[in-house]
Amino acid sequence: MANGGPVQHGFPHLETVRASITALYRRLSYDTVQTFATSVAPADVAFCDTDDLHLGAQRVARELVLHYRLPDARLIVGFREMSHAANVELAAGPEYFVELNDRFRTHRRDIGAALAHEVTHVYLHRLGLSFPGTRDNEILTDTVTTYLGAGWLLLDAYREDSASSQKLGYLTPEEFGYVLAKRAQVFAEDPSIWFTSPQAYTAYGKGVAQARRDEQQPPLTAAGWAGRRRYARDRRHAQDHQGAGPAGPQAGVPYTFTPDGHGPLRVSFPCPTCQQRIRVPVKGRVRARCGLCRTVLECDT
């Protein structure tokens, strides 16, 4: 939690974020991801200063547990002084003890954001989905929270001006915007209508721009002129050196050319939706379907 300190910006964790989206689809399946088409509604996690602190926190926790379809999980919410925004004790269940930073006693509108991250920890714990290392595992948790419809709360909790700042979670504001944009592309959703933080709009816009760049990389037909030109040059080089084995990935390009025995050259590239790598023959116009997220991609190989 950045509380008055500097807020990191940009996309320093982008590769881990993309790996998290792939891991989520692999663990849940396309059909299960589709059941999260509806995001957490602002009214369900609204918290005013007149609400009882503990009863209100329990109510919000209950709504988030229902969002993740964990009806047998019970969250016991308390408050104490700590450096982090929140912490959850991942035991066998069905009761899970969540501690929130004392700051939320007076910043109650952000309690939903803090609890969203902790409930996702419980969800991933039950799924048995984790990454090695605390940093990567927390990035996975933020990414899943956002992709499954509760992470807009975390971005909306980001506020920054010349005198103060607040940001929850391990992702940068722009990375939260990126994952929200990925979700929006799948579910035709506009999360910006729920933002109350002016800075969240800006971060979301930068995330949208980054997500669109994923859809404009060759060999996708939406690629720009410069990308297509480089792709054609790399393809010629790969065709001229087919007998030399697979061509390793080059800096700045997402695709890799590989020989296919005595058949045509093949190119592999990440699916712009789930980041699973797709491998197709190099033979001009090709329509590919991602086996993981079922996205149909128009390619010019």
Side-chain angles (χ1 to χ4, degrees), residues 63 109 192 217 224 253 260 281:
E63 290 293 340
R109 66 172 175 168
S192 66
Q217 296 292 328
V253 298
D260 191 24

Side-chain angles (χ1 to χ4, degrees), residues 90-147:
L90 292 175
E95 289 188 341
Y96 298 89
F97 293 90
V98 177
E99 295 175 314
L100 298 183
N101 192 299
D102 266 340
R103 172 184 173 84
F104 294 113
R105 291 179 182 273
T106 54
H107 293 73
R108 299 184 180 187
R109 66 172 175 168
D110 297 323
I111 284 177
L115 286 174
H117 179 94
E118 302 310 317
V119 175
T120 306
H121 267 305
V122 173
Y123 183 67
L124 292 176
H125 175 67
R126 290 193 167 194
L127 285 177
L129 177 58
S130 64
F131 280 177
T134 300
R135 171 189 169 276
D136 286 359
N137 202 52
E138 292 292 352
I139 291 170
L140 168 69
T141 304
D142 273 345
T143 302
V144 172
T145 305
T146 307
Y147 205 88

Side-chain angles (χ1 to χ4, degrees), residues 7-12 14 155 158 167 171-180 199 202-204 206-208 210:
V7 174
Q8 186 179 28
H9 288 279
F11 300 93
L14 196 54
L155 179 54
Y158 161 56
K167 186 191 75 70
L171 300 186
T172 68
E174 293 78 14
E175 287 168 340
F176 275 119
Y178 172 81
V179 183
L180 278 174
Q199 292 79 23
T202 303
Y204 178 60
K206 292 179 179 178
V208 168
Q210 180 63 49

